[in-house]
Amino acid sequence: VAGCGTGRHPINIAINDPSVDIVAVDLSKKSLSYAYRKSKELKLKNIRWIHGDILDLISLNEKFDVIESVGVLHHMEDPEAGFNILSKILKPKGFLYLGLYSKNFRSTLKKAKNLITEKNYPKNLKSIQKARRVILKHTDNHIKYPAIGSSDFYSTSSFIDLLMHEQELDFEINDIVNLYKKDYNFLGFSMPKLKKNQF
């Protein structure tokens, strides 16, 4: 799991299948320490936690059957460089599962992002709570509903990713095709279920 954050995903995998060996990597020591603590509380023994950058994963000198990287590449300065590293550590006939920002969906968040920028909210808990309240009470549905329809709206760190991250790139279908077309067969999209009131 390349970019495991606070460990929810690798921990869920480990609980559901104790026979799987998992390597979970993240750049944030704070997130990793939380993830490690939670895995110890749950007595999980099949996760290896590694502090590191995706661009340095070659140094692990390992190849993997499955690599998952969700919500990470689009925050990199050069997502293609990150993709190429993941490709190099994937076994032949392995599976690569990516989560990337959709340009179409991100455009629906533009008004909410602009509102936060205009009010100059810092990235601390009180400001995020205040920004969340402002959006929830807003009368403009084009500001309100795209943001509150995302589960990321309700978590502090995910809220930053959703509406306050300073480094992000959005992808269209052709951008994704250009990433994988040389070496991969595309197996399809995994789409979240939309809430009835999302749009």
Side-chain angles (χ1 to χ4, degrees):
V1 181
C4 66
T6 54
R8 180 172 60 178
H9 186 53
I11 285 171
N12 282 337
I13 298 170
I15 290 169
N16 287 312
D17 190 350
S19 70
V20 175
D21 292 320
I22 303 162
V23 175
V25 181
D26 204 84
L27 195 57
S28 166
K29 283 185 178 178
K30 189 175 180 181
S31 293
L32 273 177
S33 63
Y34 177 85
Y36 177 77
R37 191 168 71 249
K38 289 314 245 179
S39 69
K40 286 296 177 190
E41 286 173 14
L42 294 165
K43 296 182 171 56
L44 299 173
K45 298 184 180 185
N46 57 331
I47 307 175
R48 183 164 32 121
W49 303 98
I50 295 176
H51 175 244
D53 191 319
I54 283 177
L55 296 176
D56 298 327
L57 289 178
I58 295 288
S59 65
L60 291 177
N61 201 26
E62 291 182 61
K63 295 212 172 214
F64 301 90
D65 298 298
V66 178
I67 296 174
E68 298 190 25
S69 188
V70 176
V72 180
L73 294 183
H74 50 238
H75 288 313
M76 296 179 72
E77 194 172 320
D78 185 355
E80 188 173 354
F83 180 86
N84 290 338
I85 294 292
L86 297 180
S87 295
K88 286 176 183 173
I89 63 170
L90 186 68
K91 288 181 182 177
K93 298 186 180 178
F95 291 90
L96 185 56
Y97 182 86
L98 300 176
L100 301 167
Y101 278 161
S102 154
K103 189 169 281 189
N104 188 43
F105 173 68
R106 297 298 294 176
S107 68
T108 69
L109 298 171
K110 197 167 187 180
K111 285 190 172 185
K113 286 171 66 70
N114 288 343
L115 178 69
I116 287 171
T117 302
E118 286 164 17
K119 294 188 177 287
N120 200 27
Y121 289 119
K123 294 175 190 172
N124 59 52
L125 181 59
K126 280 191 176 179
S127 291
I128 289 166
Q129 289 171 336
K130 187 174 181 183
R132 196 180 282 135
R133 283 193 297 271
V134 166
I135 291 169
L136 281 167
K137 292 178 181 177
H138 212 285
T139 55
D140 184 343
N141 288 343
H142 292 99
I143 289 176
K144 183 176 183 177
Y145 286 111
I148 69 170
S150 169
S151 59
D152 289 348
F153 183 81
Y154 304 95
S155 156
T156 303
S157 61
S158 297
F159 184 94
I160 292 171
D161 273 357
L162 185 71
L163 297 171
M164 300 175 82
H165 207 290
E166 64 280 349
Q167 170 70 38
E168 63 181 52
L169 293 167
D170 307 328
F171 288 78
E172 293 181 323
I173 299 292
N174 286 340
D175 301 322
I176 298 170
V177 171
N178 288 334
L179 275 181
Y180 77 77
K181 66 182 176 182
K182 293 178 191 172
D183 302 307
Y184 292 94
N185 294 317
F186 180 67
L187 298 179
F189 290 106
S190 172
M191 305 295 285
K193 289 182 181 177
L194 297 179
K195 296 176 183 174
K196 287 183 180 177
N197 64 347
Q198 191 157 343
F199 298 107

